Amino acid sequence: MIRHPTPAELPGLAAIELAADARFAPLGIVFPPGTTMIEEVSDPGRVYVTGRPPVGFALVGEVDGNVHLDQLAVHPAHEGKGLGTALLEAVCALGDVTLTTFRDVPWNAPWYARRSFHVLDSAEWGPELEALVAHEHELGIEVAPRVVMRRLRSVGT
C-alpha cells in the first residue's frame, strides 16, 4: 500500500535513503557529505511511502510545472519486491514526471527506461530544470554521468 507518511515517520526515512545510497559505493559513486534529501523535508504530503514502518519512499516536488521525482529509495533488504515500481507508479499517476539520475547505473536510468521514461535532450529542459541540474553539479552530486528523464502521464497508463 502506497501512502503519505505520518510526520513522526519522516525522520526514519533518512536511514532508508542512506542504506540505498550505500549501494552506489561499490561502483565508485560516493555522495558528498551532508544531510540526506529526505532530512530536508518537513511536508509529509511531498512523500509517498510503502510499508509499516516504511521500507521505501518517493519524494516529489515540482519543476517547470511538472511533477519532479526528487528521490526514490527502497531499503536494500526489501529490493526486488516491486516496491520501487509501485512508488514510481503512484508518482506517475500525478502527471508528467521528470527526474535526474545516473546514466549508467543499472537501477537508475536503465531501470526508469524500462518503465517508459526517456532521456531529455538539454534543449527540452525548462529554466527550473536547467537550474536544478546546475545545482546538483555545484553540490557534487554529478560524480558519474547523469541524465534528465521524463515520462508523460499518457505513457504507461
Side-chain angles (χ1 to χ4, degrees):
M1 178 174 98
I2 306 300
R3 61 184 176 82
H4 292 292
T6 66
E9 289 175 318
L10 277 177
L13 300 180
I16 296 168
E17 185 172 347
L18 290 170
D21 285 353
R23 290 193 61 221
F24 290 88
L27 302 176
I29 299 172
V30 179
F31 296 100
T35 59
T36 63
M37 290 188 76
I38 198 69
E39 286 176 297
E40 298 176 7
V41 175
S42 60
D43 177 7
R46 290 188 53 210
V47 183
Y48 293 86
V49 297
T50 184
R52 284 193 194 271
V55 296
F57 71 88
L59 171 61
V60 298
E62 184 178 312
V63 175
D64 293 320
N66 293 309
V67 176
H68 185 80
L69 181 61
D70 290 314
Q71 179 74 301
L72 178 66
V74 174
H75 193 284
H78 298 275
E79 288 177 352
K81 300 175 183 177
L83 301 176
T85 298
L87 286 163
L88 182 63
E89 290 304 320
V91 170
C92 288
L94 301 172
D96 295 350
V97 177
T98 57
L99 57 86
T100 60
T101 192
F102 291 108
R103 182 188 69 200
D104 301 322
V105 175
W107 60 89
N108 276 206
W111 186 84
Y112 288 110
R114 290 190 302 274
R115 285 151 184 84
S116 302
F117 279 80
H118 68 278
V119 174
L120 283 181
D121 184 84
S122 61
E124 299 176 86
W125 302 354
E128 293 176 348
L129 199 48
E130 283 183 29
L132 176 69
V133 170
H135 183 65
E136 286 184 355
H137 184 72
E138 290 168 7
L139 291 175
I141 294 171
E142 194 175 336
V143 294
R146 290 182 63 80
V147 293
V148 174
M149 300 182 85
R150 179 176 64 197
R151 179 170 135 178
L152 301 176
R153 184 178 196 166
S154 61
V155 176
T157 58

